[in-house]
Amino acid sequence: MVTRIIDGKAVALGLRDEVRRRALALRERGVVPGLTVILAGDDAASATYVRNKERAALECGIAGRTVRLPSDVDALTVLRAVEEANADPGVHGILVQLPLPAGLSRAECQEIERAIAPHKDVDGFLPVSQGLLLLGQPSFLPCTPAGCMRLLRSAGIEVAGRRAVVLGRSAIVGKPLSHLLLAADATVTIAHSKTPDLADVVRQADIVVAAVGRPGLVRGAWLKPGVCVLDVGINRLPDGRLTGDVAFDEALGIAGAITPVPGGVGPMTIACLLDNVCLAAERAAEGH
Ligand code: NAD
């Protein structure tokens, strides 16, 4: 079997073009879509993610602003930054880059993350956003799960009536994606670190999503011939290369379609974030 490589970069570029056109239309109506990112601390990976978001926003005609706070910042200062962005009509989307500095307690981090106004929650992480998703009335879709669903659609993968196995149950990827697959009429199994016989579970799947964070966890021999594999994992190998959670070379010739790492799900996450910012600005322009 020839395995089709799903080109997430190309699909993400298409979505970014669409966002650019919508941002231009908003600007013509006097609304400049605005995204504020709150970055506290000096985590190198977070700084890179935020730079990428700033650059992508600019390219799409979105006004990006990053509030940079030191690693010894107190919770009140971060909360004040969130509240200023909440009150600013020029800011349509807000995100707090995680992880927050280690000096902040779990309760403080939770309070900060939950201080974002629901109509500006472009990450879709607030309890109210997650609750609406669960009820099938999503407000903002969390970006990585939304990106996965777009990739399935663009690759023409049938979801309704098929068996999907999601590896990983995090609140930002595994759980919300399971609900989106369910809403698209898949029969969904969520597997996690305590699931026995993972290989047997994966072998049942027509669609496998790996969102674990363990390089090469999913072996080629676990896959049903023709399965569609979405590899969400991003793992850095000792030699500096990035790799996913699926043994990519082993999957070739068995899977019907697969997303590579890098160049698969990753580029979709930022594109879906920009889509959400535009959506928030469109809603604001309509007076919602
Ligand atoms: P997480 O650490 O919050 O969750 C990992 C999940 O994997 C947990 O639910 C755990 O139960 C499960 N797990 C751990 N070991 C397992 C095993 N042996 N078998 C089955 N399940 C196991 O991680 P996360 O935030 O959901 O991220 C998962 C991966 O996806 C990471 O590599 C992360 O870097 C990547 N990620 C990528 C994007 C993207 O844009 N492509 C976005 C978010 C996360």
Side-chain angles (χ1 to χ4, degrees):
M1 172 174 312
V2 177
T3 303
R4 186 153 50 108
I5 312 293
I6 301 176
D7 186 349
K9 241 186 191 162
V11 181
L13 279 176
L15 177 56
R16 281 161 71 156
D17 276 346
E18 182 206 309
V19 169
R20 195 176 299 117
R21 281 194 295 276
R22 285 159 53 203
L24 189 65
L26 280 163
R27 280 173 179 259
E28 281 165 1
R29 293 166 64 188
V31 178
V32 179
L35 168 69
T36 289
V37 179
I38 293 164
L39 173 63
D42 46 19
D43 181 78
S46 294
T48 306
Y49 291 143
V50 169
R51 258 198 314 278
N52 290 343
K53 286 170 189 170
E54 278 174 337
R55 195 179 321 127
L58 193 72
E59 277 169 20
C60 286
I62 290 172
R65 176 170 168 256
T66 302
V67 180
R68 290 185 164 77
L69 300 167
S71 50
D72 61 352
V73 70
D74 59 277
L76 210 63
T77 306
V78 189
L79 272 172
R80 213 174 293 132
V82 175
E83 268 145 23
E84 271 171 27
N86 279 343
D88 184 342
V91 175
H92 302 98
I94 304 169
L95 66 89
V96 175
Q97 185 65 41
L98 301 178
L100 283 162
L104 298 173
S105 71
R106 202 183 154 87
E108 285 172 329
C109 291
Q110 225 169 50
E111 193 184 351
I112 291 164
E113 288 168 48
R114 293 184 181 178
I116 294 173
H119 62 290
K120 300 190 179 189
D121 178 29
V122 286
D123 256 342
F125 291 170
L126 282 182
V128 63
S129 304
Q130 299 247 8
L132 286 167
L133 173 66
L134 200 117
L135 292 171
Q137 305 155 16
S139 174
F140 292 106
L141 293 181
C143 304
T144 303
C148 289
M149 296 306 290
R150 276 183 184 271
L151 283 179
L152 289 174
R153 268 199 305 279
S154 74
I157 307 291
E158 184 72 37
V159 176
R162 313 210 48 215
R163 294 188 78 95
V165 171
V166 179
L167 304 180
R169 57 178 162 183
S170 72
I172 62 168
V173 187
K175 276 186 201 156
L177 181 55
S178 305
H179 287 294
L180 291 177
L181 287 163
L182 191 61
D185 296 328
T187 301
V188 182
T189 301
I190 307 174
H192 47 79
S193 53
K194 301 287 188 292
T195 301
D197 306 322
L198 205 57
D200 289 339
V201 176
V202 170
R203 214 167 277 124
Q204 308 291 317
D206 303 307
I207 297 167
V208 176
V209 185
V212 173
R214 290 190 173 217
L217 171 77
V218 179
R219 309 303 305 263
W222 297 13
L223 302 172
K224 179 160 94 175
V227 63
C228 173
V229 181
L230 298 184
D231 193 349
V232 180
I234 301 178
N235 309 290
R236 196 165 287 283
L237 295 172
D239 66 6
R241 281 183 304 134
L242 287 182
T243 188
D245 288 347
V246 180
F248 185 82
D249 290 343
E250 292 179 11
L252 293 178
I254 302 172
I258 189 168
T259 58
V261 178
V265 176
M268 293 302 292
T269 299
I270 288 190
C272 289
L273 171 70
L274 302 175
D275 179 47
N276 276 348
V277 176
C278 225
L279 182 65
E282 285 161 351
R283 287 178 182 160
E286 298 300 331
H288 297 306

